[in-house]
Amino acid sequence: MSLSRRKTLALLGGGAILAAGGAGAYTVTRMPRSAHAPWAAAGGYSDPRMRALSYAILAPNPHNRQPWQVDLRTDGEVTLRVDTDRLLPHTDPFSRQIVIGLGCFLELMTLAAAQDGYGVELDLFPDGEDPTALDARRVAVARFVEGAGTPAPDLFGQVMHRRSLKEPFDTERMVDRATLDAVLGAATRTRVAGSVDPKDIAELRVLSHEALRIEIETPHTYKESVDLFRIGSREVDANPDGIDFTGPMFEAMAVTGTFSREAALDRKSMAYTEGLKAVFANTDTAMGHLWQITPTNTRADQIAAGQDWLRLNLATAQAGLGMQPLSQALQEYPEMSGLYAELHDRLAPEGGTVQMFARVGYGETVAQSPRWPIESKIVHG
């Protein structure tokens, strides 16, 4: 989460950070190195499964937990399981969002395989499923079929440009309806909708702001996120998952002790109060919203939502738009139940499950998210 130059200068100008000299100045300028290497390595494998997987690991996923484990011991197949050490039990108690992330992974793998002419046949949850929890059972068996792939170059060409834009949007630049409709047209499995109507934007800004406030002010859900903070390039390179805070400002704040996980949990600290301003600036500058609905809420529905969510991400990049998920109001813990019901009443009045909800708008270019290399995700038993 490399903050914008404007935000950085505002905090520096406000005296939040003292200039660091000598070795400190070197530390401030450092950026992650190995954490971004998987982006450059994508596609550089001779095995078509490894080529496809080297792109799949770049898929969006909740809190960047990268919860996938793959087994390649059967020729022509990829077996996908979830790493149960990477779940989010407080904000995602039924692992619905984690499964959506697995769907994103499978869809990006499928798109990448198609570029090489391979089709991918998916057998989902072949050992059965638990709607309330994830375990070591197989999530999917993917069979690669040579010559059966149908490339989608317009979407796949956006893989390296796809980002979750966690910065304020340009409120002077409107999103037109035709652009939003073109993005929505990329979905093939779920019902998708959206709005750029000013009244809807204003009301959904308020709702998403309030949902974010509840998540932050609920101790166990907020701490789950803070525990996943990766502050500065050293931490990000050592653990290229979770929520990254890199760039000159965060390096300086780490050196001076201004920003730490402990400070982020202290409601009287600058790290906490300025952090609130930054995240609310995102919800409050939405220039449109989009959402996905499935008729039921099975694990297969959640996989389908992830497959379409990946396609919507790529279509948004193709349109030159930024998109950021606003998952808070869809989280299924008691403190969020009121807003969960309100959002469903508004977006799915005829029934169904709202699987994803996001803001869209125009914003600046942001850095790639850290990733573990594909080799670290391969299991052998």
Side-chain angles (χ1 to χ4, degrees), residues 291-346:
W291 51 91
Q292 289 179 289
I293 301 168
T294 55
T296 57
N297 191 28
T298 65
R299 292 302 192 192
D301 284 332
Q302 295 160 15
I303 290 288
Q307 291 171 304
D308 270 354
W309 183 247
L310 185 278
R311 297 176 69 87
L312 291 169
N313 272 250
L314 297 178
T316 301
Q318 186 178 21
L321 281 172
M323 181 167 70
Q324 180 190 11
L326 300 172
S327 299
Q328 291 79 20
L330 299 177
Q331 292 169 349
E332 297 134 306
Y333 55 91
E335 293 86 349
M336 195 64 73
S337 59
L339 282 184
Y340 181 94
E342 181 178 341
L343 192 67
H344 275 75
D345 287 345
R346 182 185 183 105

Side-chain angles (χ1 to χ4, degrees), residues 181-227:
D181 286 343
V183 169
L184 298 176
T188 60
R189 299 172 177 87
T190 58
R191 181 158 57 96
V192 295
S195 177
V196 291
D197 178 80
K199 183 175 182 293
D200 289 337
I201 291 172
E203 292 173 355
L204 290 172
R205 282 179 180 178
V206 171
L207 191 151
S208 56
H209 179 118
E210 177 64 7
L212 186 56
R213 183 195 64 77
I214 290 172
E215 183 185 283
I216 293 171
E217 293 186 1
T218 301
H220 61 99
T221 58
Y222 179 50
K223 188 175 186 300
E224 184 169 76
S225 295
V226 173
D227 286 345

Side-chain angles (χ1 to χ4, degrees), residues 259-281:
F259 184 47
S260 64
R261 280 170 286 277
E262 293 74 19
L265 288 168
D266 180 359
R267 296 179 186 274
K268 297 179 181 178
S269 72
M270 185 207 73
Y272 181 85
T273 56
E274 293 300 320
L276 279 183
K277 292 177 185 178
V279 294
F280 287 146

Side-chain angles (χ1 to χ4, degrees), residues 93-337:
F94 306 121
S95 294
R96 181 187 60 82
Q97 294 177 75
I98 288 288
V99 175
I100 290 173
L102 296 172
C104 292
F105 178 93
L106 290 171
E107 184 68 4
L108 188 44
M109 181 186 73
T110 299
L111 289 174
Q115 292 299 115
D116 286 338
Y118 285 84
V120 176
E121 298 176 351
L122 293 177
D123 184 6
L124 298 177
F125 297 98
D127 307 319
E129 62 186 75
D130 182 341
T132 65
L134 290 179
D135 52 34
R137 284 177 288 183
R138 293 175 294 176
V139 171
V141 175
R143 298 178 179 88
F144 281 52
V145 182
E146 189 171 4
T150 303
D154 289 346
L155 284 181
F156 186 74
Q158 302 303 317
V159 170
M160 292 299 166
H161 307 295
R162 185 208 64 78
R163 306 284 189 275
S164 292
L165 210 171
K166 300 169 185 174
E167 293 285 350
F169 290 149
D170 183 351
T171 56
E172 299 299 315
R173 192 172 179 190
M174 304 297 111
V175 178
D176 66 80
R177 184 71 221 188
T179 300
L180 180 61
D181 286 343
V183 169
L184 298 176
T188 60
R189 299 172 177 87
T190 58
R191 181 158 57 96
V192 295
S195 177
V196 291
D197 178 80
K199 183 175 182 293
D200 289 337
I201 291 172
E203 292 173 355
L204 290 172
R205 282 179 180 178
V206 171
L207 191 151
S208 56
H209 179 118
E210 177 64 7
L212 186 56
R213 183 195 64 77
I214 290 172
E215 183 185 283
I216 293 171
E217 293 186 1
T218 301
H220 61 99
T221 58
Y222 179 50
K223 188 175 186 300
E224 184 169 76
S225 295
V226 173
D227 286 345
L228 294 173
F229 283 8
R230 312 295 187 226
I231 302 170
S233 57
R234 289 179 184 272
E235 286 195 5
V236 171
D237 277 333
N239 288 289
D241 54 26
I243 304 168
D244 65 294
F245 294 88
T246 55
M249 184 184 74
F250 290 114
E251 296 287 352
M253 293 176 78
V255 167
T256 60
T258 312
F259 184 47
S260 64
R261 280 170 286 277
E262 293 74 19
L265 288 168
D266 180 359
R267 296 179 186 274
K268 297 179 181 178
S269 72
M270 185 207 73
Y272 181 85
T273 56
E274 293 300 320
L276 279 183
K277 292 177 185 178
V279 294
F280 287 146
N282 292 344
T283 58
D284 299 349
T285 58
M287 298 306 292
H289 297 86
L290 61 81
W291 51 91
Q292 289 179 289
I293 301 168
T294 55
T296 57
N297 191 28
T298 65
R299 292 302 192 192
D301 284 332
Q302 295 160 15
I303 290 288
Q307 291 171 304
D308 270 354
W309 183 247
L310 185 278
R311 297 176 69 87
L312 291 169
N313 272 250
L314 297 178
T316 301
Q318 186 178 21
L321 281 172
M323 181 167 70
Q324 180 190 11
L326 300 172
S327 299
Q328 291 79 20
L330 299 177
Q331 292 169 349
E332 297 134 306
Y333 55 91
E335 293 86 349
M336 195 64 73
S337 59

Side-chain angles (χ1 to χ4, degrees), residues 33 53 57 60 68 72 75-76 89 114 144 155 160 200 243 247 328 374:
R33 296 180 180 178
L53 289 168
I57 60 169
W68 24 78
L72 302 178
D75 289 344
F144 281 52
L155 284 181
M160 292 299 166
D200 289 337
I243 304 168
Q328 291 79 20
I374 180 54

